Amino acid sequence: MNLKGKSFLKLLDFTPAEIEGLINLAADFKAKKKQGIAHKICEGKNIALVFEKTSTRTRCAFEVAGADLGMHPVYLEPTGSQIGKKESIADTARVLGRMFDGIEYRGFGQEIVEELSNYAGVPVWNGLTNEFHPTQILADFLTIKEHFGSLKGKKLVYMGDARYNMGNSLMVGCAKMGMHFVAAAPKKYFPDEQLVKACLEVAKETGAVLEFIQNPEDAVQGADVIYTDVWVSMGEPADVWGERIKELSPYQVNSKLMSIAGEQCRFMHCLPAFHDLKTTIGREVYEKFGLDALEVTDEVFESAQSIVFDEAENRMHTIKAVMAATLTDIEF
């Protein structure tokens, strides 16, 4: 396979073989890094990192991966560009495309990253939009493969609000890779019906199973992975916390749910996680609602079944694979 010149916007755009190839390429890069083997196959290239939403893991992963590949990354923070404000998305894309070999975008609507790709003339990579988070899913799947040996048939249960980027992207990824995906949530928090239909069509070809279950204890039976995310997404107003806590508290990942799933089950989270009172938001929620943890308890987060930091590290390796595959003639 050769993906040179192609943007990485959502997993629906890629075949199962291409996704598997990117995961394997990431594993190869990870092994090289651990062994101290240089792999500066993008020497001399420059990349723009456009962040309308800040991030620890996404920024660090792109910057370190870019440097490992021999590239020069330029970080544009939320106030560092005029994208969509004083300058249209199309004009920004055409300017950056003349100066950089690739562009990462992390921000709001999926239509923004799609428009950037349409006009830039260079590969554009989705670091997160409201609808999709494809680089995170590659990291998740590399992590699952490292712990279980394969992806096909593995049962992944997503607990909580499955309407946005993580629920959407995990459902798409599981459909593509022939996995068993379960959204465990109140019905109003299930993924978009049109996207579900598209994933069911994919599942016909891959053998994937997609389920949408409201009872959390039923959902986690025999799960290989229980996955969750924060209940209030970045950019949402703080006044929705009360509603989310009321409706999603039964879906908190705790030791009881992990026990029902079984010893084989692993816990995953794309981070940051509200599992204790060591964050500003965590303390504010505790003072207002009396909860010392939200989507996951500290007991589960710090347990031997938790693989969240393997997952976080793998952001760097999989992002490196995406950039190398789309900027060079590397075959995988």
Side-chain angles (χ1 to χ4, degrees), residues 7-28:
S7 288
F8 189 76
L9 308 179
K10 57 186 183 299
L11 291 181
L12 283 170
D13 299 334
F14 293 82
T15 67
E18 288 170 336
I19 296 169
E20 184 78 24
L22 287 169
I23 293 169
N24 292 339
L25 180 60
D28 181 60

Side-chain angles (χ1 to χ4, degrees), residues 41-51 58-77 95-105 120 122-125 316 319-328:
I41 61 174
C42 297
E43 193 86 52
K45 295 186 183 297
N46 300 287
I47 55 174
L49 309 179
V50 181
F51 279 64
T58 302
R59 177 181 177 180
C60 292
F62 269 99
E63 289 199 355
V64 175
D68 282 355
L69 291 170
M71 297 191 289
H72 174 60
V74 175
Y75 174 69
L76 297 173
E77 61 184 351
V95 170
L96 295 180
R98 298 290 185 99
M99 299 181 183
F100 294 95
D101 299 285
I103 302 167
E104 180 272 353
Y105 173 81
V122 298
V124 173
W125 311 298
M316 175 181 61
I319 281 170
K320 187 183 295 181
V322 168
M323 293 194 295
T326 56
L327 289 176
T328 73

Side-chain angles (χ1 to χ4, degrees), residues 223-273:
D224 296 294
V225 173
I226 295 178
Y227 198 121
T228 193
D229 191 10
V230 295
W231 290 340
V232 176
S233 298
M234 189 181 299
E236 290 191 282
D239 60 12
V240 303
W241 273 109
E243 176 188 355
R244 298 289 168 80
I245 287 171
K246 179 181 178 181
E247 296 180 341
L248 294 178
S249 288
Y251 300 88
Q252 180 191 67
V253 182
N254 51 40
S255 57
K256 179 182 178 181
L257 280 184
M258 294 298 293
S259 176
I260 292 171
E263 292 183 2
Q264 82 291 338
C265 187
R266 295 294 177 264
F267 171 71
M268 298 180 72
H269 192 304
C270 54
L271 303 183

Side-chain angles (χ1 to χ4, degrees), residues 30 45 106 111 116 164 214:
K30 183 174 183 177
K45 295 186 183 297
R106 177 183 171 91
E111 70 277 2
L116 281 171
Y164 299 123
Q214 296 184 60

Side-chain angles (χ1 to χ4, degrees), residues 259-318:
S259 176
I260 292 171
E263 292 183 2
Q264 82 291 338
C265 187
R266 295 294 177 264
F267 171 71
M268 298 180 72
H269 192 304
C270 54
L271 303 183
F274 296 121
H275 60 98
D276 56 26
L277 301 180
K278 297 177 182 178
T279 64
T280 301
I281 293 176
R283 290 192 298 272
E284 289 174 352
V285 168
Y286 176 75
E287 290 168 2
K288 189 170 184 179
F289 299 100
L291 299 175
D292 59 6
L294 293 173
E295 72 275 8
V296 57
T297 62
D298 194 56
E299 182 182 13
V300 170
F301 188 88
E302 298 292 354
S303 72
Q305 289 175 286
S306 175
I307 54 176
V308 297
F309 294 109
D310 292 345
E311 181 185 2
E313 177 192 340
N314 283 338
R315 291 296 307 284
M316 175 181 61
H317 305 300
T318 46

